[in-house]
PDB file of all heavy atoms in Angstrom:
ATOM      1  N   LYS A   2       1.823  14.146  -2.594  1.00  0.00           N
ATOM      2  CA  LYS A   2       1.007  13.107  -3.189  1.00  0.00           C
ATOM      3  C   LYS A   2       0.573  12.141  -2.139  1.00  0.00           C
ATOM      4  O   LYS A   2       1.241  11.773  -1.192  1.00  0.00           O
ATOM      5  CB  LYS A   2       1.760  12.413  -4.277  1.00  0.00           C
ATOM      6  CG  LYS A   2       2.444  13.314  -5.295  1.00  0.00           C
ATOM      7  CD  LYS A   2       1.413  13.850  -6.152  1.00  0.00           C
ATOM      8  CE  LYS A   2       1.928  14.699  -7.352  1.00  0.00           C
ATOM      9  NZ  LYS A   2       1.079  15.516  -7.903  1.00  0.00           N
ATOM     10  N   LYS A   3      -0.613  11.598  -2.344  1.00  0.00           N
ATOM     11  CA  LYS A   3      -1.114  10.453  -1.587  1.00  0.00           C
ATOM     12  C   LYS A   3      -1.018   9.184  -2.427  1.00  0.00           C
ATOM     13  O   LYS A   3      -1.488   9.129  -3.643  1.00  0.00           O
ATOM     14  CB  LYS A   3      -2.530  10.692  -1.148  1.00  0.00           C
ATOM     15  CG  LYS A   3      -3.144   9.477  -0.312  1.00  0.00           C
ATOM     16  CD  LYS A   3      -4.412   9.863   0.222  1.00  0.00           C
ATOM     17  CE  LYS A   3      -4.902   8.705   1.172  1.00  0.00           C
ATOM     18  NZ  LYS A   3      -6.241   8.927   1.615  1.00  0.00           N
ATOM     19  N   ILE A   4      -0.242   8.179  -1.854  1.00  0.00           N
ATOM     20  CA  ILE A   4      -0.018   6.920  -2.632  1.00  0.00           C
ATOM     21  C   ILE A   4      -0.942   5.877  -1.805  1.00  0.00           C
ATOM     22  O   ILE A   4      -0.816   5.681  -0.627  1.00  0.00           O
ATOM     23  CB  ILE A   4       1.375   6.390  -2.612  1.00  0.00           C
ATOM     24  CG1 ILE A   4       2.134   7.550  -3.347  1.00  0.00           C
ATOM     25  CG2 ILE A   4       1.539   5.084  -3.233  1.00  0.00           C
ATOM     26  CD1 ILE A   4       3.695   7.294  -3.063  1.00  0.00           C
ATOM     27  N   GLU A   5      -1.934   5.149  -2.478  1.00  0.00           N
ATOM     28  CA  GLU A   5      -2.575   4.198  -1.931  1.00  0.00           C
ATOM     29  C   GLU A   5      -2.226   2.815  -2.621  1.00  0.00           C
ATOM     30  O   GLU A   5      -2.402   2.796  -3.891  1.00  0.00           O
ATOM     31  CB  GLU A   5      -4.082   4.335  -1.979  1.00  0.00           C
ATOM     32  CG  GLU A   5      -4.543   5.383  -0.918  1.00  0.00           C
ATOM     33  CD  GLU A   5      -6.028   5.544  -0.746  1.00  0.00           C
ATOM     34  OE1 GLU A   5      -6.790   5.401  -1.720  1.00  0.00           O
ATOM     35  OE2 GLU A   5      -6.503   5.619   0.347  1.00  0.00           O
ATOM     36  N   ALA A   6      -1.840   1.881  -1.956  1.00  0.00           N
ATOM     37  CA  ALA A   6      -1.390   0.544  -2.736  1.00  0.00           C
ATOM     38  C   ALA A   6      -2.146  -0.560  -2.047  1.00  0.00           C
ATOM     39  O   ALA A   6      -2.202  -0.623  -0.842  1.00  0.00           O
ATOM     40  CB  ALA A   6       0.089   0.345  -2.584  1.00  0.00           C
ATOM     41  N   ILE A   7      -2.785  -1.364  -2.922  1.00  0.00           N
ATOM     42  CA  ILE A   7      -3.530  -2.453  -2.480  1.00  0.00           C
ATOM     43  C   ILE A   7      -2.614  -3.659  -2.869  1.00  0.00           C
ATOM     44  O   ILE A   7      -2.441  -3.917  -4.122  1.00  0.00           O
ATOM     45  CB  ILE A   7      -4.906  -2.605  -2.968  1.00  0.00           C
ATOM     46  CG1 ILE A   7      -5.729  -1.279  -2.662  1.00  0.00           C
ATOM     47  CG2 ILE A   7      -5.639  -3.877  -2.705  1.00  0.00           C
ATOM     48  CD1 ILE A   7      -7.121  -1.196  -3.201  1.00  0.00           C
ATOM     49  N   ILE A   8      -2.111  -4.506  -1.913  1.00  0.00           N
ATOM     50  CA  ILE A   8      -1.293  -5.353  -2.073  1.00  0.00           C
ATOM     51  C   ILE A   8      -1.587  -6.773  -1.395  1.00  0.00           C
ATOM     52  O   ILE A   8      -2.554  -6.792  -0.638  1.00  0.00           O
ATOM     53  CB  ILE A   8       0.198  -4.988  -1.547  1.00  0.00           C
ATOM     54  CG1 ILE A   8       0.234  -4.853   0.005  1.00  0.00           C
ATOM     55  CG2 ILE A   8       0.718  -3.804  -2.258  1.00  0.00           C
ATOM     56  CD1 ILE A   8       1.463  -4.577   0.600  1.00  0.00           C
ATOM     57  N   TRP A  31      -4.326  -1.033   6.506  1.00  0.00           N
ATOM     58  CA  TRP A  31      -5.498  -1.743   6.966  1.00  0.00           C
ATOM     59  C   TRP A  31      -5.723  -2.930   6.017  1.00  0.00           C
ATOM     60  O   TRP A  31      -5.457  -3.018   4.936  1.00  0.00           O
ATOM     61  CB  TRP A  31      -6.704  -0.936   7.317  1.00  0.00           C
ATOM     62  CG  TRP A  31      -7.192  -0.181   6.172  1.00  0.00           C
ATOM     63  CD1 TRP A  31      -8.117  -0.379   5.180  1.00  0.00           C
ATOM     64  CD2 TRP A  31      -6.674   1.042   5.584  1.00  0.00           C
ATOM     65  NE1 TRP A  31      -8.206   0.475   4.226  1.00  0.00           N
ATOM     66  CE2 TRP A  31      -7.376   1.442   4.450  1.00  0.00           C
ATOM     67  CE3 TRP A  31      -5.702   1.940   6.043  1.00  0.00           C
ATOM     68  CZ2 TRP A  31      -7.133   2.690   3.795  1.00  0.00           C
ATOM     69  CZ3 TRP A  31      -5.401   3.184   5.381  1.00  0.00           C
ATOM     70  CH2 TRP A  31      -6.117   3.468   4.222  1.00  0.00           C
ATOM     71  N   VAL A  33      -8.409  -5.119   3.771  1.00  0.00           N
ATOM     72  CA  VAL A  33      -9.348  -4.851   2.980  1.00  0.00           C
ATOM     73  C   VAL A  33      -9.903  -6.028   2.154  1.00  0.00           C
ATOM     74  O   VAL A  33      -9.088  -7.037   2.071  1.00  0.00           O
ATOM     75  CB  VAL A  33      -9.125  -3.697   1.876  1.00  0.00           C
ATOM     76  CG1 VAL A  33      -8.808  -2.425   2.615  1.00  0.00           C
ATOM     77  CG2 VAL A  33      -8.012  -4.072   0.952  1.00  0.00           C
ATOM     78  N   VAL A  36     -12.871  -7.446  -4.948  1.00  0.00           N
ATOM     79  CA  VAL A  36     -13.155  -8.351  -6.014  1.00  0.00           C
ATOM     80  C   VAL A  36     -12.200  -8.010  -7.170  1.00  0.00           C
ATOM     81  O   VAL A  36     -12.138  -6.959  -7.584  1.00  0.00           O
ATOM     82  CB  VAL A  36     -14.664  -8.155  -6.506  1.00  0.00           C
ATOM     83  CG1 VAL A  36     -15.035  -9.078  -7.572  1.00  0.00           C
ATOM     84  CG2 VAL A  36     -15.635  -8.308  -5.342  1.00  0.00           C
ATOM     85  N   ARG A  57      -6.777  -8.551   1.000  1.00  0.00           N
ATOM     86  CA  ARG A  57      -5.571  -7.696   0.635  1.00  0.00           C
ATOM     87  C   ARG A  57      -5.303  -6.739   1.799  1.00  0.00           C
ATOM     88  O   ARG A  57      -6.039  -6.639   2.765  1.00  0.00           O
ATOM     89  CB  ARG A  57      -5.723  -6.852  -0.712  1.00  0.00           C
ATOM     90  CG  ARG A  57      -5.979  -7.761  -1.881  1.00  0.00           C
ATOM     91  CD  ARG A  57      -4.656  -8.480  -2.269  1.00  0.00           C
ATOM     92  NE  ARG A  57      -4.763  -9.203  -3.424  1.00  0.00           N
ATOM     93  CZ  ARG A  57      -4.786 -10.596  -3.502  1.00  0.00           C
ATOM     94  NH1 ARG A  57      -4.715 -11.200  -2.369  1.00  0.00           N
ATOM     95  NH2 ARG A  57      -4.917 -11.226  -4.688  1.00  0.00           N
ATOM     96  N   ARG A  58      -4.202  -5.992   1.590  1.00  0.00           N
ATOM     97  CA  ARG A  58      -3.837  -4.997   2.629  1.00  0.00           C
ATOM     98  C   ARG A  58      -3.710  -3.777   1.799  1.00  0.00           C
ATOM     99  O   ARG A  58      -3.098  -3.618   0.762  1.00  0.00           O
ATOM    100  CB  ARG A  58      -2.449  -5.499   3.337  1.00  0.00           C
ATOM    101  CG  ARG A  58      -2.150  -4.393   4.443  1.00  0.00           C
ATOM    102  CD  ARG A  58      -1.478  -5.024   5.496  1.00  0.00           C
ATOM    103  NE  ARG A  58      -2.266  -5.913   6.376  1.00  0.00           N
ATOM    104  CZ  ARG A  58      -1.759  -6.812   7.041  1.00  0.00           C
ATOM    105  NH1 ARG A  58      -0.494  -7.064   7.217  1.00  0.00           N
ATOM    106  NH2 ARG A  58      -2.585  -7.676   7.804  1.00  0.00           N
ATOM    107  N   CYS A  59      -4.285  -2.606   2.388  1.00  0.00           N
ATOM    108  CA  CYS A  59      -4.204  -1.283   1.806  1.00  0.00           C
ATOM    109  C   CYS A  59      -3.155  -0.550   2.532  1.00  0.00           C
ATOM    110  O   CYS A  59      -3.268  -0.489   3.750  1.00  0.00           O
ATOM    111  CB  CYS A  59      -5.567  -0.660   1.741  1.00  0.00           C
ATOM    112  SG  CYS A  59      -5.594   0.963   0.888  1.00  0.00           S
ATOM    113  N   VAL A  60      -2.246   0.121   1.750  1.00  0.00           N
ATOM    114  CA  VAL A  60      -1.230   0.927   2.445  1.00  0.00           C
ATOM    115  C   VAL A  60      -1.400   2.416   1.954  1.00  0.00           C
ATOM    116  O   VAL A  60      -1.518   2.535   0.668  1.00  0.00           O
ATOM    117  CB  VAL A  60       0.162   0.420   2.062  1.00  0.00           C
ATOM    118  CG1 VAL A  60       1.220   1.316   2.716  1.00  0.00           C
ATOM    119  CG2 VAL A  60       0.448  -0.963   2.412  1.00  0.00           C
ATOM    120  N   SER A  61      -1.466   3.373   2.879  1.00  0.00           N
ATOM    121  CA  SER A  61      -1.802   4.805   2.573  1.00  0.00           C
ATOM    122  C   SER A  61      -0.605   5.622   2.988  1.00  0.00           C
ATOM    123  O   SER A  61      -0.210   5.502   4.112  1.00  0.00           O
ATOM    124  CB  SER A  61      -2.988   5.263   3.171  1.00  0.00           C
ATOM    125  OG  SER A  61      -3.160   6.503   2.861  1.00  0.00           O
ATOM    126  N   ILE A  62       0.053   6.338   2.082  1.00  0.00           N
ATOM    127  CA  ILE A  62       1.227   7.093   2.396  1.00  0.00           C
ATOM    128  C   ILE A  62       1.004   8.472   1.694  1.00  0.00           C
ATOM    129  O   ILE A  62       0.587   8.572   0.623  1.00  0.00           O
ATOM    130  CB  ILE A  62       2.460   6.372   1.640  1.00  0.00           C
ATOM    131  CG1 ILE A  62       2.517   4.965   2.086  1.00  0.00           C
ATOM    132  CG2 ILE A  62       3.798   7.179   2.071  1.00  0.00           C
ATOM    133  CD1 ILE A  62       3.372   4.151   0.972  1.00  0.00           C
ATOM    134  N   VAL A  63       1.529   9.485   2.504  1.00  0.00           N
ATOM    135  CA  VAL A  63       1.498  10.846   1.897  1.00  0.00           C
ATOM    136  C   VAL A  63       2.955  11.288   1.895  1.00  0.00           C
ATOM    137  O   VAL A  63       3.593  11.190   2.933  1.00  0.00           O
ATOM    138  CB  VAL A  63       0.618  11.813   2.779  1.00  0.00           C
ATOM    139  CG1 VAL A  63       0.842  13.364   2.109  1.00  0.00           C
ATOM    140  CG2 VAL A  63      -0.771  11.508   2.713  1.00  0.00           C
ATOM    141  N   VAL A  64       3.511  11.618   0.732  1.00  0.00           N
ATOM    142  CA  VAL A  64       4.940  12.059   0.503  1.00  0.00           C
ATOM    143  C   VAL A  64       5.038  13.341  -0.180  1.00  0.00           C
ATOM    144  O   VAL A  64       4.117  13.722  -0.821  1.00  0.00           O
ATOM    145  CB  VAL A  64       5.675  10.885  -0.234  1.00  0.00           C
ATOM    146  CG1 VAL A  64       5.612   9.575   0.513  1.00  0.00           C
ATOM    147  CG2 VAL A  64       5.093  10.764  -1.626  1.00  0.00           C
ATOM    148  N   LEU A  69       8.030  10.731  -4.343  1.00  0.00           N
ATOM    149  CA  LEU A  69       6.963   9.969  -5.148  1.00  0.00           C
ATOM    150  C   LEU A  69       7.494   8.889  -5.886  1.00  0.00           C
ATOM    151  O   LEU A  69       7.126   7.750  -5.731  1.00  0.00           O
ATOM    152  CB  LEU A  69       6.137  10.849  -5.976  1.00  0.00           C
ATOM    153  CG  LEU A  69       5.102  10.109  -6.842  1.00  0.00           C
ATOM    154  CD1 LEU A  69       4.129   9.454  -6.080  1.00  0.00           C
ATOM    155  CD2 LEU A  69       4.555  11.134  -7.898  1.00  0.00           C
ATOM    156  N   THR A  72       9.233   6.040  -3.874  1.00  0.00           N
ATOM    157  CA  THR A  72       8.196   5.242  -3.071  1.00  0.00           C
ATOM    158  C   THR A  72       7.438   4.317  -3.844  1.00  0.00           C
ATOM    159  O   THR A  72       7.238   3.210  -3.632  1.00  0.00           O
ATOM    160  CB  THR A  72       7.279   6.266  -2.345  1.00  0.00           C
ATOM    161  OG1 THR A  72       7.943   7.256  -1.568  1.00  0.00           O
ATOM    162  CG2 THR A  72       6.202   5.497  -1.390  1.00  0.00           C
ATOM    163  N   VAL A  73       7.047   4.776  -5.112  1.00  0.00           N
ATOM    164  CA  VAL A  73       6.192   3.922  -6.034  1.00  0.00           C
ATOM    165  C   VAL A  73       7.090   2.736  -6.416  1.00  0.00           C
ATOM    166  O   VAL A  73       6.783   1.526  -6.411  1.00  0.00           O
ATOM    167  CB  VAL A  73       5.673   4.698  -7.184  1.00  0.00           C
ATOM    168  CG1 VAL A  73       5.165   3.921  -8.241  1.00  0.00           C
ATOM    169  CG2 VAL A  73       4.572   5.632  -6.659  1.00  0.00           C
ATOM    170  N   ILE A  76       7.501   0.094  -3.702  1.00  0.00           N
ATOM    171  CA  ILE A  76       6.260  -0.873  -3.742  1.00  0.00           C
ATOM    172  C   ILE A  76       6.169  -1.759  -4.859  1.00  0.00           C
ATOM    173  O   ILE A  76       5.900  -2.895  -4.790  1.00  0.00           O
ATOM    174  CB  ILE A  76       4.959   0.043  -3.677  1.00  0.00           C
ATOM    175  CG1 ILE A  76       5.010   0.982  -2.423  1.00  0.00           C
ATOM    176  CG2 ILE A  76       3.732  -0.814  -3.635  1.00  0.00           C
ATOM    177  CD1 ILE A  76       4.016   1.974  -2.297  1.00  0.00           C
ATOM    178  N   LEU A  77       6.431  -1.282  -6.124  1.00  0.00           N
ATOM    179  CA  LEU A  77       6.386  -2.004  -7.251  1.00  0.00           C
ATOM    180  C   LEU A  77       7.353  -3.158  -7.167  1.00  0.00           C
ATOM    181  O   LEU A  77       6.922  -4.399  -7.474  1.00  0.00           O
ATOM    182  CB  LEU A  77       6.675  -1.307  -8.520  1.00  0.00           C
ATOM    183  CG  LEU A  77       5.619  -0.349  -9.068  1.00  0.00           C
ATOM    184  CD1 LEU A  77       6.160   0.593 -10.167  1.00  0.00           C
ATOM    185  CD2 LEU A  77       4.370  -1.157  -9.546  1.00  0.00           C
ATOM    186  N   ASP A  87      -1.440  -9.180  -7.987  1.00  0.00           N
ATOM    187  CA  ASP A  87      -0.435  -8.444  -7.335  1.00  0.00           C
ATOM    188  C   ASP A  87      -0.857  -7.178  -6.662  1.00  0.00           C
ATOM    189  O   ASP A  87      -0.424  -6.648  -5.799  1.00  0.00           O
ATOM    190  CB  ASP A  87       0.785  -8.168  -8.296  1.00  0.00           C
ATOM    191  CG  ASP A  87       1.658  -9.486  -8.383  1.00  0.00           C
ATOM    192  OD1 ASP A  87       1.549 -10.396  -7.575  1.00  0.00           O
ATOM    193  OD2 ASP A  87       2.677  -9.387  -9.193  1.00  0.00           O
ATOM    194  N   GLY A  88      -1.902  -6.576  -7.213  1.00  0.00           N
ATOM    195  CA  GLY A  88      -2.453  -5.306  -6.671  1.00  0.00           C
ATOM    196  C   GLY A  88      -2.532  -4.166  -7.544  1.00  0.00           C
ATOM    197  O   GLY A  88      -2.052  -4.236  -8.760  1.00  0.00           O
ATOM    198  N   LYS A  89      -2.702  -2.988  -6.993  1.00  0.00           N
ATOM    199  CA  LYS A  89      -2.761  -1.763  -7.627  1.00  0.00           C
ATOM    200  C   LYS A  89      -2.160  -0.658  -6.876  1.00  0.00           C
ATOM    201  O   LYS A  89      -2.083  -0.782  -5.543  1.00  0.00           O
ATOM    202  CB  LYS A  89      -4.137  -1.424  -7.916  1.00  0.00           C
ATOM    203  CG  LYS A  89      -4.974  -2.328  -8.787  1.00  0.00           C
ATOM    204  CD  LYS A  89      -4.905  -1.932 -10.150  1.00  0.00           C
ATOM    205  CE  LYS A  89      -5.951  -2.827 -10.959  1.00  0.00           C
ATOM    206  NZ  LYS A  89      -5.500  -3.961 -11.645  1.00  0.00           N
ATOM    207  N   ILE A  90      -1.694   0.472  -7.555  1.00  0.00           N
ATOM    208  CA  ILE A  90      -1.172   1.630  -6.831  1.00  0.00           C
ATOM    209  C   ILE A  90      -1.938   2.702  -7.388  1.00  0.00           C
ATOM    210  O   ILE A  90      -2.060   2.864  -8.601  1.00  0.00           O
ATOM    211  CB  ILE A  90       0.330   1.695  -6.988  1.00  0.00           C
ATOM    212  CG1 ILE A  90       1.058   0.576  -6.441  1.00  0.00           C
ATOM    213  CG2 ILE A  90       0.806   3.164  -6.516  1.00  0.00           C
ATOM    214  CD1 ILE A  90       2.689   0.610  -6.590  1.00  0.00           C
ATOM    215  N   PHE A  91      -2.489   3.606  -6.542  1.00  0.00           N
ATOM    216  CA  PHE A  91      -3.221   4.832  -6.960  1.00  0.00           C
ATOM    217  C   PHE A  91      -2.411   6.104  -6.423  1.00  0.00           C
ATOM    218  O   PHE A  91      -2.051   5.946  -5.316  1.00  0.00           O
ATOM    219  CB  PHE A  91      -4.541   4.890  -6.448  1.00  0.00           C
ATOM    220  CG  PHE A  91      -5.345   3.594  -6.731  1.00  0.00           C
ATOM    221  CD1 PHE A  91      -5.430   2.565  -5.873  1.00  0.00           C
ATOM    222  CD2 PHE A  91      -5.981   3.469  -7.957  1.00  0.00           C
ATOM    223  CE1 PHE A  91      -6.248   1.377  -6.219  1.00  0.00           C
ATOM    224  CE2 PHE A  91      -6.640   2.345  -8.376  1.00  0.00           C
ATOM    225  CZ  PHE A  91      -6.764   1.334  -7.368  1.00  0.00           C
ATOM    226  N   VAL A  92      -2.188   7.131  -7.156  1.00  0.00           N
ATOM    227  CA  VAL A  92      -1.529   8.288  -6.723  1.00  0.00           C
ATOM    228  C   VAL A  92      -2.497   9.496  -6.918  1.00  0.00           C
ATOM    229  O   VAL A  92      -3.063   9.734  -8.130  1.00  0.00           O
ATOM    230  CB  VAL A  92      -0.223   8.576  -7.560  1.00  0.00           C
ATOM    231  CG1 VAL A  92       0.498   9.819  -7.087  1.00  0.00           C
ATOM    232  CG2 VAL A  92       0.788   7.300  -7.455  1.00  0.00           C
ATOM    233  N   SER A  93      -2.606  10.344  -5.961  1.00  0.00           N
ATOM    234  CA  SER A  93      -3.443  11.443  -6.110  1.00  0.00           C
ATOM    235  C   SER A  93      -2.849  12.634  -5.473  1.00  0.00           C
ATOM    236  O   SER A  93      -1.921  12.518  -4.624  1.00  0.00           O
ATOM    237  CB  SER A  93      -4.846  11.242  -5.484  1.00  0.00           C
ATOM    238  OG  SER A  93      -4.738  10.793  -4.236  1.00  0.00           O
ATOM    239  N   ASP A  94      -3.255  13.787  -5.828  1.00  0.00           N
ATOM    240  CA  ASP A  94      -2.666  15.116  -5.252  1.00  0.00           C
ATOM    241  C   ASP A  94      -3.243  15.322  -3.820  1.00  0.00           C
ATOM    242  O   ASP A  94      -4.430  15.052  -3.658  1.00  0.00           O
ATOM    243  CB  ASP A  94      -3.121  16.186  -6.078  1.00  0.00           C
ATOM    244  CG  ASP A  94      -2.283  16.336  -7.425  1.00  0.00           C
ATOM    245  OD1 ASP A  94      -1.173  15.993  -7.400  1.00  0.00           O
ATOM    246  OD2 ASP A  94      -2.881  16.615  -8.426  1.00  0.00           O
ATOM    247  N   VAL A  95      -2.484  15.879  -2.983  1.00  0.00           N
ATOM    248  CA  VAL A  95      -2.794  16.274  -1.605  1.00  0.00           C
ATOM    249  C   VAL A  95      -2.737  17.824  -1.606  1.00  0.00           C
ATOM    250  O   VAL A  95      -1.668  18.395  -1.969  1.00  0.00           O
ATOM    251  CB  VAL A  95      -1.999  15.610  -0.549  1.00  0.00           C
ATOM    252  CG1 VAL A  95      -2.249  16.277   0.724  1.00  0.00           C
ATOM    253  CG2 VAL A  95      -2.127  14.179  -0.556  1.00  0.00           C
TER     254      VAL A  95
END
Side-chain angles (χ1 to χ4, degrees):
K2 303 292 186 200
K3 180 176 185 180
I4 302 166
E5 288 189 322
I7 299 176
I8 61 171
W31 55 94
V33 296
V36 178
R57 294 289 183 254
R58 187 150 288 163
C59 184
V60 179
S61 179
I62 311 158
V63 177
V64 297
L69 176 62
T72 303
V73 170
I76 296 168
L77 285 170
D87 277 351
K89 301 268 194 265
I90 298 174
F91 305 98
V92 178
S93 55
D94 289 320
V95 173

